[in-house]
């Protein structure tokens, strides 16, 4: 009968073991075919549920284990790095943007100041001179002159007064006699008619005072000169 096999020599009938299939008239017990399962040795049922598989000799379907993919129901295949394969996976899924997969069973969130394009196996630190607005950034954004971006920056940092940022990387101090407003890419000399007590302040010269280019302080107009314009010193005419 189905579910048993008959020894043709002795004529004895033996029930088929678990995981085997014995249709009527079987002389030996055969393993349940791959892609099928045999809860009852008399019936071989096709494995059809996506994400499950049935190896030869299966008594019931098994969920595809984490780290594997079951594209076909007769076997499991190992998932490649860069893909995320949780339990019962039937399609390989690239690690999502904003996540990285150091192995095939764990998808980890990218941290602030890094970027993770699709299929990342590790998070990428945003380099100096670039910024990454959020963890879903797929590339780095270059820092413009007038700003500076240390490693792992989320936003560009505006250059402070008294400093200049020529390349998005360096924040350099202005020298005395120079003036650097907030967010500048280059320094300049303190303007004629103004004085700069320090590189972050530029103050207009008072009347009757004189301020040449690069002045750190205002000076009294010299005897024999007039300074109607604080940036211009004109010699007085004879008799005046």
């Amino acid at each position: 009968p189905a579910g048993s096999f008959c020894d043709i020599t002795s004529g004895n009938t033996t029930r088929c073991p678990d995981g085997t299939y014995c249709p009527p008239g079987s002389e030996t017990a055969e393993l349940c075919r791959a892609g099928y399962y045999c809860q009852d040795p008399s019936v071989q049922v096709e494995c059809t549920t996506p994400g499950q598989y049935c190896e030869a000799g299966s008594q019931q379907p098994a969920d595809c284990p984490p780290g594997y993919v079951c594209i076909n129901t007769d076997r499991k295949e190992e998932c490649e790095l860069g893909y995320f394969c949780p339990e019962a996976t039937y399609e390989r899924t690239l690690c999502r943007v904003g996540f990285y997969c150091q192995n095939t069973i764990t998808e980890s969130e990218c941290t602030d100041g890094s970027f993770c394009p699709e299929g990342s196996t590790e998070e990428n630190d945003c380099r100096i001179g670039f910024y990454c607005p959020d963890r879903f950034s797929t590339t780095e954004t270059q820092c413009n002159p007038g700003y500076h971006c240390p490693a792992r920056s989320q936003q560009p940092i505006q250059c402070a007064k008294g400093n200049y940022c020529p390349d998005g990387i360096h924040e350099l101090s202005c020298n005395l006699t120079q003036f650097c407003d907030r967010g500048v890419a280059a320094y300049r000399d303190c303007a004629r008619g103004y004085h700069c007590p320090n590189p972050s302040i530029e103050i207009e010269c008072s009347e009757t005072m004189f301020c040449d280019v690069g002045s750190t302080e205002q000076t009294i107009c010299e005897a024999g000169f007039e300074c109607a314009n604080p940036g211009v010193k004109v010699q007085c005419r004879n008799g005046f």
Side-chain angles (χ1 to χ4, degrees):
S4 302
F5 65 95
C6 300
D7 188 320
I8 57 174
T9 303
S10 65
N12 293 331
T13 300
T14 305
R15 187 181 185 281
C16 288
D18 293 338
T20 61
Y21 172 55
C22 297
S26 294
E27 295 179 3
T28 58
E30 297 183 0
L31 276 179
C32 200
R33 284 170 52 197
Y36 292 79
Y37 63 97
C38 301
Q39 286 181 313
D40 181 332
S42 65
V43 181
Q44 192 168 234
V45 181
E46 188 173 7
C47 199
T48 58
T49 303
Q52 292 187 331
Y53 73 107
C54 298
E55 292 179 322
S58 294
Q59 290 181 260
Q60 59 185 12
D63 286 340
C64 206
Y68 290 82
V69 58
C70 297
I71 299 170
N72 302 299
T73 56
D74 62 348
R75 62 186 180 276
K76 62 183 180 184
E77 300 172 45
E78 198 165 0
C79 215
E80 297 93 346
L81 273 178
Y83 288 85
F84 174 53
C85 296
E87 188 176 28
T89 294
Y90 58 90
E91 287 183 342
R92 290 180 179 87
T93 303
L94 271 173
C95 205
R96 293 176 293 165
V97 172
F99 294 81
Y100 63 100
C101 298
Q102 288 181 311
N103 54 54
T104 57
I105 62 175
T106 307
E107 204 176 32
S108 304
E109 285 190 7
C110 235
T111 56
D112 292 339
S114 63
F115 68 103
C116 295
E118 192 176 46
S120 294
T121 57
E122 59 184 17
E123 60 179 355
N124 305 283
D125 287 346
C126 214
R127 294 173 296 163
I128 186 170
F130 295 83
Y131 65 97
C132 300
D134 58 56
R135 64 184 181 85
F136 295 105
S137 303
T138 56
T139 58
E140 303 164 295
T141 302
Q142 192 160 16
C143 210
N144 291 324
Y147 293 82
H148 66 104
C149 294
R152 294 185 63 87
S153 291
Q154 290 181 264
Q155 295 295 333
I157 302 168
Q158 191 175 44
C159 214
K161 272 193 168 189
N163 296 331
Y164 66 102
C165 299
D167 52 15
I169 297 174
H170 301 97
E171 186 177 35
L172 306 174
S173 298
C174 283
N175 296 325
L176 287 174
T177 77
Q178 296 171 347
F179 173 63
C180 293
D181 206 352
R182 186 183 301 280
V184 297
Y187 65 83
R188 66 170 174 80
D189 291 328
C190 196
R192 185 183 299 278
Y194 291 79
H195 63 104
C196 299
N198 65 60
S200 65
I201 302 172
E202 190 174 55
I203 304 170
E204 191 170 7
C205 242
S206 305
E207 289 184 16
T208 75
M209 303 297 280
F210 175 65
C211 295
D212 203 353
V213 173
S215 294
T216 58
E217 58 185 16
Q218 53 187 351
T219 58
I220 297 172
C221 202
E222 296 176 51
F225 289 84
E226 62 176 334
C227 301
N229 181 326
V232 180
K233 186 165 57 174
V234 179
Q235 191 166 14
C236 293
R237 290 173 294 166
N238 290 335
F240 293 90

